[in-house]
Amino acid sequence: MKIAIAQLNPIVGDIAGNLTKLLASCRDAANHGAELIVAPELYLCGYPPRDLLSYEWFLDKLDQAIIELCNASREFPTFGIVVGTVRRSGKLTGKGFYNSAVLIENGKILLEQHKQLLPTYDVFDERRYFDPGTTGHVIAFHNQTLGISICEDGWNDPDFGTHREYETDPIELLVRKGATILINISASPFQLGKEKIRYDRFGNHARKWRLPMIFCNQVGANDEIIFDGNSMAFDGNGLLIEKLPSYEETTVIVDSSVQYRLETLPAIDPMESLHGALVLGIRDYMAKCGFKQAVIGLSGGIDSALTACLAVDAIGAENVRGVTMPSEYSSSGSVDDSIELASKLGIRCDTLAIREIYDTYLATLSEPFANTPFGIAEENIQARIRGNLLMAYSNKFGGIVLTTGNKSEIAVGYCTLYGDMSGGLAAISDLPKTIVYQLSRWYNRHREVIPTAIIVKAPSAELRPNQKDQDSLPPYDILDAILDLYLEEQKSIAEIVANGFDPETVKWVIRTVDRNEYKRKQAAPGLRVTSKAFGVGRRMPIAARWSES
């Protein structure tokens, strides 16, 4: 069977726009000989729709979109359409609707397959909105029997790991009912290494059951979550017939009867993959929120330099504006490095000295601050002045402020509320500092994009004389390793110490992470690229008291 995989980028809530895009793909695929087109999970409303699903008018519009899609399908009467949407259950109990895949042909709905496994971990919250489907159904279609599943339904394979979230394996059920082609429609988010994980999972289904497997994934970014695409088609031996590109909206026709074209998944450069995800995340967040320009505070440090590079790749140098804001504690090198970076990137860079503003603040506070030592309050005033100036640029020129804090700093609260945390999108907030260095060096692999001086200098907030990050923090390689064990792997103090780390350092890191939850709650949305991102991926109480030790 010739199947068109429609790797599409929906806008959440734009039901009419998403439908228009799907119909264009349908017409093109039908004209090129496809018998069936497959679109991603919840495509018509976009994933994740969140509490939009609580509005009756929104559900009515989704119902109407299916009617319009049925009517339009009469243009190509022998062409099938599989699309993800919300369908009402008609029951008086439960949530009242399902996360569904609908198969349409020639004006009729042939099948509604409801998602059976509803994830509630990490970024997922589907039990809040949907009732689970109770079984899987297969359907005869064009001399084949289709077994259609939805995202998580394909992830409970008993061949992987000892812990399983659910008792049932929906893919096995479809096979037992006679499926001859397996189809999975997904909104599977990106994280580093996810491409290989999906390849192993869905390739194993095909190999184990000796059936072709079609995996259609959403592409694009919605709020913090990035969807990388990377849709795939496997033959009955679990080998690749087709792999669609990363981060691109495209429709590709595959023939499920052919044997493999690729013996294995092509090698993936993790930094290239990370770069593509962050660029897509910035571009989509800005476009879908109506921003055309970005403003970035350039400190002369590696974080702001990397953020500027990503922004230029996402929206073009002409749409990125840098601002360097030296104080009396800023080195001349920081200003010079910022200006050199801006020149290499081709972006405008304004210099706004903040010493006079800072002195005015200190003069205003001289009486209440009298007879107290210089400390964090005075340091943070500088960061807050800079945040205010950047927001003034945003208000005046309409650009979004991209914050530049990395995951290591945000984890331990080495950032200033209403200062360097001010902005609309935290572009690198899920990148540990060690990964910031790796990605920055990747940028310089062919030519110097980020000035070498920025990469090799000791990190500093430059809020007091001769300040260095390592005055307050463990070395970043140690800090990041501890954070990975605590956040990603959720290890205990004893388990982390058993990996060779100093017990007092481990306790300090964990205690500091926990007590800075209130800061992270007020941070800009951050692009998720690891398995455990702050915000949408890690939900901890703030007004609470707990301690492992």
Side-chain angles (χ1 to χ4, degrees), residues 22 77 120 180 225 255 285 438 549:
L22 175 60
T120 56
T180 58
I225 307 175
D255 188 337
Y285 188 87
Q438 290 182 45
S549 57

Side-chain angles (χ1 to χ4, degrees), residues 295-299 303-304 307 325 379-391 401-406 409-410 413-429 460-463 469 476 519 522-524:
V295 182
I296 301 170
L298 298 179
S299 66
D303 297 322
S304 61
T307 303
M325 296 164 282
E379 292 180 24
N380 285 346
I381 287 170
Q382 299 163 77
R384 293 188 174 113
I385 290 169
R386 291 177 175 129
N388 276 330
L389 291 173
L390 290 173
M391 289 308 301
V401 176
L402 299 181
T403 68
T404 62
N406 62 66
E409 296 171 346
I410 293 169
Y414 196 66
C415 47
T416 304
L417 274 174
Y418 325 120
D420 57 326
M421 293 177 70
S422 295
L425 178 66
I428 63 168
S429 64
S460 171
E462 294 192 330
L463 299 176
D469 288 5
Y476 278 117
K519 279 191 179 181
Q522 301 177 71

Side-chain angles (χ1 to χ4, degrees), residues 6 8 49 196 208 244 364 366 401 411 473 537 543:
L8 300 177
K196 180 64 164 58
K208 178 166 62 174
L244 276 64
T364 302
S366 60
V401 176
L473 305 176

Side-chain angles (χ1 to χ4, degrees), residues 221-271:
N222 292 325
D223 296 350
E224 305 102 315
I225 307 175
I226 301 166
F227 300 94
D228 54 304
N230 277 303
S231 303
M232 290 174 276
F234 297 90
D235 67 15
N237 295 311
L239 300 176
L240 277 173
I241 300 172
E242 188 70 69
K243 189 192 88 67
L244 276 64
S246 308
Y247 317 117
E248 293 181 23
E249 189 173 48
T250 187
T251 299
V252 174
I253 298 175
V254 299
D255 188 337
S256 65
S257 67
V258 307
Q259 295 300 300
Y260 71 93
R261 294 177 56 252
L262 302 167
E263 289 196 23
T264 188
L265 187 70
I268 299 168
D269 180 341
M271 290 302 105

